[in-house]
Amino acid sequence: WGTRLLLLVWILQTVFFIFAVLLAKSFSAWSMFETLFIFSWVLTTLSLFLRRLLPIDILLFFMNVISFAGLVLNAFSGRFVPDMGEPLMNWKVENELLFFHIFLAVAGYAAFSVSAVLAGMYLFMHHRLKEKKWSQQLRRMPSLPNISSYMFAAVMTGIPLLLCSLLLGLIWVLVVQKYDLLFDPKVLNSFLVLAVYGWYVLQKMLHTPGNKLAVWNLAAFAVTVLNFIVSNRLSNFHQWS
């Protein structure tokens, strides 16, 4: 029943997105509403996919908590009402480049969110095992090596997605010859996010202990969250998102 209800949520989100965002607005404006809504939809889609591939209840639970939080922000904050999105004059909004640029970035953030949940699971399980406190929760979780491999796979999914998103943005900057946007705080901090996760991948290859990798993963996700929130306020170009 839980899977059926989750599927119903996904269907309702998909229908709403198609009719209320794509068809009704035709990308005439793009606000935080659309960004967070796509983020929530991607996490819900991943939950359904992982439900078949990796039926780890606690992972799916926290993924949907994050997804639900995005919907709550949209529902209870006036800033996230669709009609309040500012027109995106700098972009040709009918151009597919805009959609793919945003969608790839949001998909990368979703992958990093999954990795952060797995990092939290790893630290929790590592602490409980170190303290020799076995519980029913631990029985329902995969082993530490498996969690570590899943966490690494999520990061290795998020890095190419975010990198492709940045490359699309850079291509647009070169086409319109607005080179000052290369020094936009959002752009610079996005490359910082890639660098932080790249360091995580390097440490993984150097066989750094799993608990230290999990801590670094959570720190990298904190940088990602700051990039999504703080940089948008400082950016001259990405304030719309």
Side-chain angles (χ1 to χ4, degrees):
W1 274 104
T3 303
R4 292 171 181 173
L5 290 174
L6 187 61
L7 179 60
L8 177 61
V9 169
W10 182 85
I11 293 174
L12 291 175
Q13 284 184 319
T14 303
V15 171
F16 175 82
F17 182 76
I18 291 175
F19 286 95
V21 179
L22 293 182
L23 296 182
K25 298 181 62 179
S26 301
F27 289 102
S28 60
W30 195 282
S31 66
M32 181 71 83
F33 179 89
E34 290 81 5
T35 305
L36 285 177
F37 193 91
I38 292 179
F39 177 75
S40 177
W41 180 85
V42 169
L43 280 180
T44 305
T45 305
L46 283 176
S47 297
L48 289 171
F49 178 75
L50 293 178
R51 179 68 183 85
R52 303 291 298 178
L53 184 63
L54 300 173
I56 307 174
D57 294 339
I58 189 171
L59 171 61
L60 302 180
F61 172 77
F62 281 106
M63 285 177 60
N64 283 280
V65 167
I66 298 174
S67 174
F68 180 71
L71 291 181
V72 169
L73 287 175
N74 281 336
F76 294 101
S77 176
R79 290 184 58 196
F80 303 110
V81 177
D83 293 335
M84 295 183 68
E86 292 293 334
L88 209 54
M89 298 302 181
N90 290 330
W91 287 80
K92 292 183 178 180
V93 290
E94 64 272 13
N95 195 320
E96 295 178 354
L97 185 63
L98 167 64
F99 177 79
F100 286 112
H101 169 72
I102 297 176
F103 184 83
L104 288 173
V106 171
Y109 288 145
F112 293 147
S113 299
V114 174
S115 181
V117 172
L118 289 167
M121 290 172 54
Y122 188 100
L123 292 176
F124 172 78
M125 190 173 188
H126 181 269
H127 175 74
R128 300 288 288 187
L129 292 177
K130 188 176 181 180
E131 298 293 329
K132 298 181 179 180
K133 296 180 180 180
W134 190 256
S135 62
Q136 186 63 31
Q137 288 86 353
L138 296 184
R139 295 179 182 274
R140 303 179 64 179
M141 296 173 63
S143 64
L144 288 178
N146 285 341
I147 296 178
S148 180
S149 63
Y150 300 152
M151 181 170 54
F152 181 71
V155 171
M156 292 303 295
T157 301
I159 289 177
L161 289 172
L162 183 57
L163 180 60
C164 288
S165 174
L166 289 175
L167 290 177
L168 286 177
L170 291 177
I171 290 173
W172 180 84
V173 169
L174 295 177
V175 169
V176 299
Q177 297 181 353
K178 293 186 177 181
Y179 303 112
D180 57 311
L181 295 178
L182 294 175
F183 302 98
D184 186 85
K186 179 71 173 180
V187 176
L188 296 178
N189 206 29
S190 294
F191 281 107
L192 175 61
V193 170
L194 286 177
V196 172
Y197 277 105
W199 180 257
Y200 163 84
V201 173
L202 177 61
Q203 294 302 308
K204 175 72 174 179
M205 296 174 63
L206 295 176
H207 305 289
T208 301
N211 59 322
K212 293 184 178 180
L213 285 175
V215 172
W216 185 260
N217 192 308
L218 290 177
F221 184 69
V223 174
T224 304
V225 173
L226 289 176
N227 180 50
F228 187 76
I229 298 176
V230 178
S231 294
N232 285 330
R233 296 182 178 274
L234 299 178
S235 173
N236 295 322
F237 179 68
H238 287 85
Q239 289 179 350
W240 51 273
S241 62

